[in-house]
Amino acid sequence: MPKLSIVIPCYNEQDNLTFIYDRLQKALGIRRDVEIILVNNGSTDRSEFEFSRQQNLRSDSRFHIVLIPVNLGYGYGILTGLQRAQGKILSWTHADLQTDPEDIIVAYDLYGSP
């Protein structure tokens, strides 16, 4: 069971999914105590297709994809992802990576892993 869950609502991120995954993969390294929940938050582009096509997302058990068919806002995407989360510590960040996901890992480690 993961100790940290990171929720990332994604809206129309079809062109960025590979970059997002690569950055998260780098931030996680070999850690197995973190799960990433990518929420396809009612995207109107080809994000749903890209999520299903991304073999790296489907083969890494730390990554989970949640589909919201119709966008009901950023907050709804976060809450939906948090409902899916299994970690003891919950967090979220933006799909555009305005906050480096590695900062979440550093803060989590400073907090003191439960």
mmCIF file with all atom_site columns, all heavy atoms in Angstrom, residues 92-114:
data_model
loop_
_atom_site.group_PDB
_atom_site.id
_atom_site.type_symbol
_atom_site.label_atom_id
_atom_site.label_alt_id
_atom_site.label_comp_id
_atom_site.label_asym_id
_atom_site.label_entity_id
_atom_site.label_seq_id
_atom_site.pdbx_PDB_ins_code
_atom_site.Cartn_x
_atom_site.Cartn_y
_atom_site.Cartn_z
_atom_site.occupancy
_atom_site.B_iso_or_equiv
_atom_site.pdbx_formal_charge
_atom_site.auth_seq_id
_atom_site.auth_comp_id
_atom_site.auth_asym_id
_atom_site.auth_atom_id
_atom_site.pdbx_PDB_model_num
ATOM 1   N N   . TRP A 1 92  ? -1.713 16.907 -4.183  1.00 0.00 ? 92  TRP A N   1
ATOM 2   C CA  . TRP A 1 92  ? -2.055 17.092 -5.589  1.00 0.00 ? 92  TRP A CA  1
ATOM 3   C C   . TRP A 1 92  ? -1.160 18.169 -6.161  1.00 0.00 ? 92  TRP A C   1
ATOM 4   O O   . TRP A 1 92  ? -0.552 18.951 -5.453  1.00 0.00 ? 92  TRP A O   1
ATOM 5   C CB  . TRP A 1 92  ? -3.525 17.425 -5.791  1.00 0.00 ? 92  TRP A CB  1
ATOM 6   C CG  . TRP A 1 92  ? -3.972 18.726 -5.185  1.00 0.00 ? 92  TRP A CG  1
ATOM 7   C CD1 . TRP A 1 92  ? -3.920 19.964 -5.754  1.00 0.00 ? 92  TRP A CD1 1
ATOM 8   C CD2 . TRP A 1 92  ? -4.514 18.912 -3.886  1.00 0.00 ? 92  TRP A CD2 1
ATOM 9   N NE1 . TRP A 1 92  ? -4.411 20.905 -4.899  1.00 0.00 ? 92  TRP A NE1 1
ATOM 10  C CE2 . TRP A 1 92  ? -4.784 20.278 -3.728  1.00 0.00 ? 92  TRP A CE2 1
ATOM 11  C CE3 . TRP A 1 92  ? -4.812 18.045 -2.832  1.00 0.00 ? 92  TRP A CE3 1
ATOM 12  C CZ2 . TRP A 1 92  ? -5.318 20.806 -2.576  1.00 0.00 ? 92  TRP A CZ2 1
ATOM 13  C CZ3 . TRP A 1 92  ? -5.346 18.581 -1.686  1.00 0.00 ? 92  TRP A CZ3 1
ATOM 14  C CH2 . TRP A 1 92  ? -5.602 19.937 -1.567  1.00 0.00 ? 92  TRP A CH2 1
ATOM 15  N N   . THR A 1 93  ? -1.093 18.158 -7.474  1.00 0.00 ? 93  THR A N   1
ATOM 16  C CA  . THR A 1 93  ? -0.314 19.157 -8.191  1.00 0.00 ? 93  THR A CA  1
ATOM 17  C C   . THR A 1 93  ? -0.925 19.343 -9.569  1.00 0.00 ? 93  THR A C   1
ATOM 18  O O   . THR A 1 93  ? -1.906 18.692 -9.911  1.00 0.00 ? 93  THR A O   1
ATOM 19  C CB  . THR A 1 93  ? 1.180  18.768 -8.256  1.00 0.00 ? 93  THR A CB  1
ATOM 20  O OG1 . THR A 1 93  ? 1.936  19.882 -8.729  1.00 0.00 ? 93  THR A OG1 1
ATOM 21  C CG2 . THR A 1 93  ? 1.408  17.548 -9.138  1.00 0.00 ? 93  THR A CG2 1
ATOM 22  N N   . HIS A 1 94  ? -0.326 20.221 -10.351 1.00 0.00 ? 94  HIS A N   1
ATOM 23  C CA  . HIS A 1 94  ? -0.857 20.587 -11.660 1.00 0.00 ? 94  HIS A CA  1
ATOM 24  C C   . HIS A 1 94  ? -0.198 19.766 -12.769 1.00 0.00 ? 94  HIS A C   1
ATOM 25  O O   . HIS A 1 94  ? 0.994  19.473 -12.712 1.00 0.00 ? 94  HIS A O   1
ATOM 26  C CB  . HIS A 1 94  ? -0.601 22.073 -11.935 1.00 0.00 ? 94  HIS A CB  1
ATOM 27  C CG  . HIS A 1 94  ? -1.156 22.960 -10.867 1.00 0.00 ? 94  HIS A CG  1
ATOM 28  N ND1 . HIS A 1 94  ? -2.454 23.379 -10.864 1.00 0.00 ? 94  HIS A ND1 1
ATOM 29  C CD2 . HIS A 1 94  ? -0.587 23.477 -9.749  1.00 0.00 ? 94  HIS A CD2 1
ATOM 30  C CE1 . HIS A 1 94  ? -2.665 24.133 -9.802  1.00 0.00 ? 94  HIS A CE1 1
ATOM 31  N NE2 . HIS A 1 94  ? -1.545 24.209 -9.116  1.00 0.00 ? 94  HIS A NE2 1
ATOM 32  N N   . ALA A 1 95  ? -0.975 19.456 -13.792 1.00 0.00 ? 95  ALA A N   1
ATOM 33  C CA  . ALA A 1 95  ? -0.454 18.686 -14.917 1.00 0.00 ? 95  ALA A CA  1
ATOM 34  C C   . ALA A 1 95  ? 0.585  19.465 -15.714 1.00 0.00 ? 95  ALA A C   1
ATOM 35  O O   . ALA A 1 95  ? 1.425  18.870 -16.377 1.00 0.00 ? 95  ALA A O   1
ATOM 36  C CB  . ALA A 1 95  ? -1.592 18.248 -15.835 1.00 0.00 ? 95  ALA A CB  1
ATOM 37  N N   . ASP A 1 96  ? 0.524  20.797 -15.672 1.00 0.00 ? 96  ASP A N   1
ATOM 38  C CA  . ASP A 1 96  ? 1.511  21.578 -16.419 1.00 0.00 ? 96  ASP A CA  1
ATOM 39  C C   . ASP A 1 96  ? 2.848  21.650 -15.688 1.00 0.00 ? 96  ASP A C   1
ATOM 40  O O   . ASP A 1 96  ? 3.781  22.285 -16.140 1.00 0.00 ? 96  ASP A O   1
ATOM 41  C CB  . ASP A 1 96  ? 0.994  22.978 -16.734 1.00 0.00 ? 96  ASP A CB  1
ATOM 42  C CG  . ASP A 1 96  ? 0.765  23.833 -15.504 1.00 0.00 ? 96  ASP A CG  1
ATOM 43  O OD1 . ASP A 1 96  ? 1.087  23.395 -14.370 1.00 0.00 ? 96  ASP A OD1 1
ATOM 44  O OD2 . ASP A 1 96  ? 0.257  24.960 -15.665 1.00 0.00 ? 96  ASP A OD2 1
ATOM 45  N N   . LEU A 1 97  ? 2.938  20.969 -14.557 1.00 0.00 ? 97  LEU A N   1
ATOM 46  C CA  . LEU A 1 97  ? 4.170  20.851 -13.773 1.00 0.00 ? 97  LEU A CA  1
ATOM 47  C C   . LEU A 1 97  ? 4.715  22.201 -13.320 1.00 0.00 ? 97  LEU A C   1
ATOM 48  O O   . LEU A 1 97  ? 5.913  22.385 -13.175 1.00 0.00 ? 97  LEU A O   1
ATOM 49  C CB  . LEU A 1 97  ? 5.232  20.058 -14.545 1.00 0.00 ? 97  LEU A CB  1
ATOM 50  C CG  . LEU A 1 97  ? 4.819  18.650 -14.955 1.00 0.00 ? 97  LEU A CG  1
ATOM 51  C CD1 . LEU A 1 97  ? 5.908  17.965 -15.753 1.00 0.00 ? 97  LEU A CD1 1
ATOM 52  C CD2 . LEU A 1 97  ? 4.441  17.812 -13.745 1.00 0.00 ? 97  LEU A CD2 1
ATOM 53  N N   . GLN A 1 98  ? 3.809  23.155 -13.062 1.00 0.00 ? 98  GLN A N   1
ATOM 54  C CA  . GLN A 1 98  ? 4.253  24.437 -12.519 1.00 0.00 ? 98  GLN A CA  1
ATOM 55  C C   . GLN A 1 98  ? 4.911  24.252 -11.162 1.00 0.00 ? 98  GLN A C   1
ATOM 56  O O   . GLN A 1 98  ? 5.679  25.089 -10.724 1.00 0.00 ? 98  GLN A O   1
ATOM 57  C CB  . GLN A 1 98  ? 3.113  25.441 -12.466 1.00 0.00 ? 98  GLN A CB  1
ATOM 58  C CG  . GLN A 1 98  ? 1.944  25.034 -11.613 1.00 0.00 ? 98  GLN A CG  1
ATOM 59  C CD  . GLN A 1 98  ? 0.807  26.032 -11.636 1.00 0.00 ? 98  GLN A CD  1
ATOM 60  O OE1 . GLN A 1 98  ? 0.934  27.101 -11.103 1.00 0.00 ? 98  GLN A OE1 1
ATOM 61  N NE2 . GLN A 1 98  ? -0.282 25.687 -12.299 1.00 0.00 ? 98  GLN A NE2 1
ATOM 62  N N   . THR A 1 99  ? 4.580  23.154 -10.499 1.00 0.00 ? 99  THR A N   1
ATOM 63  C CA  . THR A 1 99  ? 5.300  22.730 -9.303  1.00 0.00 ? 99  THR A CA  1
ATOM 64  C C   . THR A 1 99  ? 6.007  21.431 -9.651  1.00 0.00 ? 99  THR A C   1
ATOM 65  O O   . THR A 1 99  ? 5.378  20.490 -10.129 1.00 0.00 ? 99  THR A O   1
ATOM 66  C CB  . THR A 1 99  ? 4.323  22.487 -8.132  1.00 0.00 ? 99  THR A CB  1
ATOM 67  O OG1 . THR A 1 99  ? 3.611  23.690 -7.891  1.00 0.00 ? 99  THR A OG1 1
ATOM 68  C CG2 . THR A 1 99  ? 5.050  22.056 -6.886  1.00 0.00 ? 99  THR A CG2 1
ATOM 69  N N   . ASP A 1 100 ? 7.296  21.387 -9.418  1.00 0.00 ? 100 ASP A N   1
ATOM 70  C CA  . ASP A 1 100 ? 8.072  20.187 -9.716  1.00 0.00 ? 100 ASP A CA  1
ATOM 71  C C   . ASP A 1 100 ? 7.612  19.048 -8.799  1.00 0.00 ? 100 ASP A C   1
ATOM 72  O O   . ASP A 1 100 ? 7.597  19.208 -7.578  1.00 0.00 ? 100 ASP A O   1
ATOM 73  C CB  . ASP A 1 100 ? 9.555  20.477 -9.485  1.00 0.00 ? 100 ASP A CB  1
ATOM 74  C CG  . ASP A 1 100 ? 10.459 19.368 -9.966  1.00 0.00 ? 100 ASP A CG  1
ATOM 75  O OD1 . ASP A 1 100 ? 10.035 18.196 -10.005 1.00 0.00 ? 100 ASP A OD1 1
ATOM 76  O OD2 . ASP A 1 100 ? 11.610 19.675 -10.312 1.00 0.00 ? 100 ASP A OD2 1
ATOM 77  N N   . PRO A 1 101 ? 7.220  17.911 -9.359  1.00 0.00 ? 101 PRO A N   1
ATOM 78  C CA  . PRO A 1 101 ? 6.757  16.802 -8.520  1.00 0.00 ? 101 PRO A CA  1
ATOM 79  C C   . PRO A 1 101 ? 7.826  16.326 -7.534  1.00 0.00 ? 101 PRO A C   1
ATOM 80  O O   . PRO A 1 101 ? 7.516  15.796 -6.478  1.00 0.00 ? 101 PRO A O   1
ATOM 81  C CB  . PRO A 1 101 ? 6.375  15.706 -9.508  1.00 0.00 ? 101 PRO A CB  1
ATOM 82  C CG  . PRO A 1 101 ? 6.766  16.169 -10.843 1.00 0.00 ? 101 PRO A CG  1
ATOM 83  C CD  . PRO A 1 101 ? 7.149  17.598 -10.776 1.00 0.00 ? 101 PRO A CD  1
ATOM 84  N N   . GLU A 1 102 ? 9.071  16.567 -7.859  1.00 0.00 ? 102 GLU A N   1
ATOM 85  C CA  . GLU A 1 102 ? 10.138 16.185 -6.926  1.00 0.00 ? 102 GLU A CA  1
ATOM 86  C C   . GLU A 1 102 ? 10.029 16.982 -5.623  1.00 0.00 ? 102 GLU A C   1
ATOM 87  O O   . GLU A 1 102 ? 10.394 16.488 -4.553  1.00 0.00 ? 102 GLU A O   1
ATOM 88  C CB  . GLU A 1 102 ? 11.504 16.386 -7.572  1.00 0.00 ? 102 GLU A CB  1
ATOM 89  C CG  . GLU A 1 102 ? 12.592 15.696 -6.814  1.00 0.00 ? 102 GLU A CG  1
ATOM 90  C CD  . GLU A 1 102 ? 13.864 15.540 -7.620  1.00 0.00 ? 102 GLU A CD  1
ATOM 91  O OE1 . GLU A 1 102 ? 13.835 15.658 -8.851  1.00 0.00 ? 102 GLU A OE1 1
ATOM 92  O OE2 . GLU A 1 102 ? 14.894 15.295 -6.990  1.00 0.00 ? 102 GLU A OE2 1
ATOM 93  N N   . ASP A 1 103 ? 9.493  18.209 -5.694  1.00 0.00 ? 103 ASP A N   1
ATOM 94  C CA  . ASP A 1 103 ? 9.304  19.007 -4.486  1.00 0.00 ? 103 ASP A CA  1
ATOM 95  C C   . ASP A 1 103 ? 8.322  18.329 -3.530  1.00 0.00 ? 103 ASP A C   1
ATOM 96  O O   . ASP A 1 103 ? 8.472  18.428 -2.306  1.00 0.00 ? 103 ASP A O   1
ATOM 97  C CB  . ASP A 1 103 ? 8.800  20.412 -4.829  1.00 0.00 ? 103 ASP A CB  1
ATOM 98  C CG  . ASP A 1 103 ? 9.842  21.252 -5.536  1.00 0.00 ? 103 ASP A CG  1
ATOM 99  O OD1 . ASP A 1 103 ? 11.043 20.890 -5.501  1.00 0.00 ? 103 ASP A OD1 1
ATOM 100 O OD2 . ASP A 1 103 ? 9.465  22.279 -6.130  1.00 0.00 ? 103 ASP A OD2 1
ATOM 101 N N   . ILE A 1 104 ? 7.331  17.650 -4.075  1.00 0.00 ? 104 ILE A N   1
ATOM 102 C CA  . ILE A 1 104 ? 6.379  16.927 -3.235  1.00 0.00 ? 104 ILE A CA  1
ATOM 103 C C   . ILE A 1 104 ? 7.080  15.782 -2.515  1.00 0.00 ? 104 ILE A C   1
ATOM 104 O O   . ILE A 1 104 ? 6.869  15.561 -1.321  1.00 0.00 ? 104 ILE A O   1
ATOM 105 C CB  . ILE A 1 104 ? 5.189  16.398 -4.063  1.00 0.00 ? 104 ILE A CB  1
ATOM 106 C CG1 . ILE A 1 104 ? 4.419  17.564 -4.678  1.00 0.00 ? 104 ILE A CG1 1
ATOM 107 C CG2 . ILE A 1 104 ? 4.268  15.523 -3.214  1.00 0.00 ? 104 ILE A CG2 1
ATOM 108 C CD1 . ILE A 1 104 ? 3.383  17.145 -5.691  1.00 0.00 ? 104 ILE A CD1 1
ATOM 109 N N   . ILE A 1 105 ? 7.943  15.077 -3.233  1.00 0.00 ? 105 ILE A N   1
ATOM 110 C CA  . ILE A 1 105 ? 8.692  13.966 -2.643  1.00 0.00 ? 105 ILE A CA  1
ATOM 111 C C   . ILE A 1 105 ? 9.619  14.488 -1.537  1.00 0.00 ? 105 ILE A C   1
ATOM 112 O O   . ILE A 1 105 ? 9.695  13.908 -0.449  1.00 0.00 ? 105 ILE A O   1
ATOM 113 C CB  . ILE A 1 105 ? 9.499  13.210 -3.718  1.00 0.00 ? 105 ILE A CB  1
ATOM 114 C CG1 . ILE A 1 105 ? 8.589  12.694 -4.841  1.00 0.00 ? 105 ILE A CG1 1
ATOM 115 C CG2 . ILE A 1 105 ? 10.327 12.095 -3.099  1.00 0.00 ? 105 ILE A CG2 1
ATOM 116 C CD1 . ILE A 1 105 ? 7.575  11.679 -4.421  1.00 0.00 ? 105 ILE A CD1 1
ATOM 117 N N   . VAL A 1 106 ? 10.313 15.586 -1.802  1.00 0.00 ? 106 VAL A N   1
ATOM 118 C CA  . VAL A 1 106 ? 11.211 16.169 -0.797  1.00 0.00 ? 106 VAL A CA  1
ATOM 119 C C   . VAL A 1 106 ? 10.424 16.586 0.444   1.00 0.00 ? 106 VAL A C   1
ATOM 120 O O   . VAL A 1 106 ? 10.820 16.294 1.578   1.00 0.00 ? 106 VAL A O   1
ATOM 121 C CB  . VAL A 1 106 ? 11.990 17.373 -1.393  1.00 0.00 ? 106 VAL A CB  1
ATOM 122 C CG1 . VAL A 1 106 ? 12.720 18.148 -0.313  1.00 0.00 ? 106 VAL A CG1 1
ATOM 123 C CG2 . VAL A 1 106 ? 12.962 16.897 -2.466  1.00 0.00 ? 106 VAL A CG2 1
ATOM 124 N N   . ALA A 1 107 ? 9.292  17.266 0.239   1.00 0.00 ? 107 ALA A N   1
ATOM 125 C CA  . ALA A 1 107 ? 8.460  17.692 1.378   1.00 0.00 ? 107 ALA A CA  1
ATOM 126 C C   . ALA A 1 107 ? 7.958  16.478 2.160   1.00 0.00 ? 107 ALA A C   1
ATOM 127 O O   . ALA A 1 107 ? 7.952  16.485 3.406   1.00 0.00 ? 107 ALA A O   1
ATOM 128 C CB  . ALA A 1 107 ? 7.292  18.533 0.881   1.00 0.00 ? 107 ALA A CB  1
ATOM 129 N N   . TYR A 1 108 ? 7.550  15.452 1.455   1.00 0.00 ? 108 TYR A N   1
ATOM 130 C CA  . TYR A 1 108 ? 7.081  14.225 2.097   1.00 0.00 ? 108 TYR A CA  1
ATOM 131 C C   . TYR A 1 108 ? 8.184  13.609 2.968   1.00 0.00 ? 108 TYR A C   1
ATOM 132 O O   . TYR A 1 108 ? 7.934  13.233 4.114   1.00 0.00 ? 108 TYR A O   1
ATOM 133 C CB  . TYR A 1 108 ? 6.621  13.245 1.023   1.00 0.00 ? 108 TYR A CB  1
ATOM 134 C CG  . TYR A 1 108 ? 6.334  11.854 1.497   1.00 0.00 ? 108 TYR A CG  1
ATOM 135 C CD1 . TYR A 1 108 ? 5.244  11.590 2.301   1.00 0.00 ? 108 TYR A CD1 1
ATOM 136 C CD2 . TYR A 1 108 ? 7.154  10.790 1.122   1.00 0.00 ? 108 TYR A CD2 1
ATOM 137 C CE1 . TYR A 1 108 ? 4.977  10.295 2.740   1.00 0.00 ? 108 TYR A CE1 1
ATOM 138 C CE2 . TYR A 1 108 ? 6.887  9.510  1.547   1.00 0.00 ? 108 TYR A CE2 1
ATOM 139 C CZ  . TYR A 1 108 ? 5.806  9.266  2.356   1.00 0.00 ? 108 TYR A CZ  1
ATOM 140 O OH  . TYR A 1 108 ? 5.552  7.986  2.782   1.00 0.00 ? 108 TYR A OH  1
ATOM 141 N N   . ASP A 1 109 ? 9.382  13.550 2.433   1.00 0.00 ? 109 ASP A N   1
ATOM 142 C CA  . ASP A 1 109 ? 10.503 12.987 3.204   1.00 0.00 ? 109 ASP A CA  1
ATOM 143 C C   . ASP A 1 109 ? 10.841 13.861 4.412   1.00 0.00 ? 109 ASP A C   1
ATOM 144 O O   . ASP A 1 109 ? 11.166 13.346 5.488   1.00 0.00 ? 109 ASP A O   1
ATOM 145 C CB  . ASP A 1 109 ? 11.728 12.803 2.313   1.00 0.00 ? 109 ASP A CB  1
ATOM 146 C CG  . ASP A 1 109 ? 11.560 11.656 1.329   1.00 0.00 ? 109 ASP A CG  1
ATOM 147 O OD1 . ASP A 1 109 ? 10.718 10.759 1.578   1.00 0.00 ? 109 ASP A OD1 1
ATOM 148 O OD2 . ASP A 1 109 ? 12.256 11.648 0.302   1.00 0.00 ? 109 ASP A OD2 1
ATOM 149 N N   . LEU A 1 110 ? 10.764 15.179 4.260   1.00 0.00 ? 110 LEU A N   1
ATOM 150 C CA  . LEU A 1 110 ? 11.019 16.080 5.381   1.00 0.00 ? 110 LEU A CA  1
ATOM 151 C C   . LEU A 1 110 ? 9.929  15.954 6.445   1.00 0.00 ? 110 LEU A C   1
ATOM 152 O O   . LEU A 1 110 ? 10.195 16.085 7.641   1.00 0.00 ? 110 LEU A O   1
ATOM 153 C CB  . LEU A 1 110 ? 11.111 17.524 4.897   1.00 0.00 ? 110 LEU A CB  1
ATOM 154 C CG  . LEU A 1 110 ? 12.354 17.869 4.082   1.00 0.00 ? 110 LEU A CG  1
ATOM 155 C CD1 . LEU A 1 110 ? 12.228 19.271 3.488   1.00 0.00 ? 110 LEU A CD1 1
ATOM 156 C CD2 . LEU A 1 110 ? 13.607 17.754 4.936   1.00 0.00 ? 110 LEU A CD2 1
ATOM 157 N N   . TYR A 1 111 ? 8.713  15.718 6.001   1.00 0.00 ? 111 TYR A N   1
ATOM 158 C CA  . TYR A 1 111 ? 7.571  15.552 6.896   1.00 0.00 ? 111 TYR A CA  1
ATOM 159 C C   . TYR A 1 111 ? 7.789  14.338 7.793   1.00 0.00 ? 111 TYR A C   1
ATOM 160 O O   . TYR A 1 111 ? 7.381  14.307 8.934   1.00 0.00 ? 111 TYR A O   1
ATOM 161 C CB  . TYR A 1 111 ? 6.301  15.410 6.051   1.00 0.00 ? 111 TYR A CB  1
ATOM 162 C CG  . TYR A 1 111 ? 5.043  15.083 6.819   1.00 0.00 ? 111 TYR A CG  1
ATOM 163 C CD1 . TYR A 1 111 ? 4.386  16.059 7.565   1.00 0.00 ? 111 TYR A CD1 1
ATOM 164 C CD2 . TYR A 1 111 ? 4.507  13.813 6.772   1.00 0.00 ? 111 TYR A CD2 1
ATOM 165 C CE1 . TYR A 1 111 ? 3.226  15.753 8.257   1.00 0.00 ? 111 TYR A CE1 1
ATOM 166 C CE2 . TYR A 1 111 ? 3.355  13.499 7.461   1.00 0.00 ? 111 TYR A CE2 1
ATOM 167 C CZ  . TYR A 1 111 ? 2.716  14.468 8.199   1.00 0.00 ? 111 TYR A CZ  1
ATOM 168 O OH  . TYR A 1 111 ? 1.570  14.177 8.887   1.00 0.00 ? 111 TYR A OH  1
ATOM 169 N N   . GLY A 1 112 ? 8.429  13.351 7.219   1.00 0.00 ? 112 GLY A N   1
ATOM 170 C CA  . GLY A 1 112 ? 8.658  12.104 7.961   1.00 0.00 ? 112 GLY A CA  1
ATOM 171 C C   . GLY A 1 112 ? 7.665  11.061 7.526   1.00 0.00 ? 112 GLY A C   1
ATOM 172 O O   . GLY A 1 112 ? 6.520  11.086 7.942   1.00 0.00 ? 112 GLY A O   1
ATOM 173 N N   . SER A 1 113 ? 8.063  10.193 6.665   1.00 0.00 ? 113 SER A N   1
ATOM 174 C CA  . SER A 1 113 ? 7.195  9.152  6.139   1.00 0.00 ? 113 SER A CA  1
ATOM 175 C C   . SER A 1 113 ? 6.513  8.399  7.270   1.00 0.00 ? 113 SER A C   1
ATOM 176 O O   . SER A 1 113 ? 7.177  7.941  8.181   1.00 0.00 ? 113 SER A O   1
ATOM 177 C CB  . SER A 1 113 ? 7.991  8.156  5.300   1.00 0.00 ? 113 SER A CB  1
ATOM 178 O OG  . SER A 1 113 ? 8.872  8.831  4.437   1.00 0.00 ? 113 SER A OG  1
ATOM 179 N N   . PRO A 1 114 ? 5.177  8.280  7.203   1.00 0.00 ? 114 PRO A N   1
ATOM 180 C CA  . PRO A 1 114 ? 4.455  7.531  8.248   1.00 0.00 ? 114 PRO A CA  1
ATOM 181 C C   . PRO A 1 114 ? 4.762  6.041  8.181   1.00 0.00 ? 114 PRO A C   1
ATOM 182 O O   . PRO A 1 114 ? 5.114  5.513  7.222   1.00 0.00 ? 114 PRO A O   1
ATOM 183 C CB  . PRO A 1 114 ? 2.992  7.810  7.953   1.00 0.00 ? 114 PRO A CB  1
ATOM 184 C CG  . PRO A 1 114 ? 2.923  8.383  6.600   1.00 0.00 ? 114 PRO A CG  1
ATOM 185 C CD  . PRO A 1 114 ? 4.294  8.817  6.229   1.00 0.00 ? 114 PRO A CD  1
#
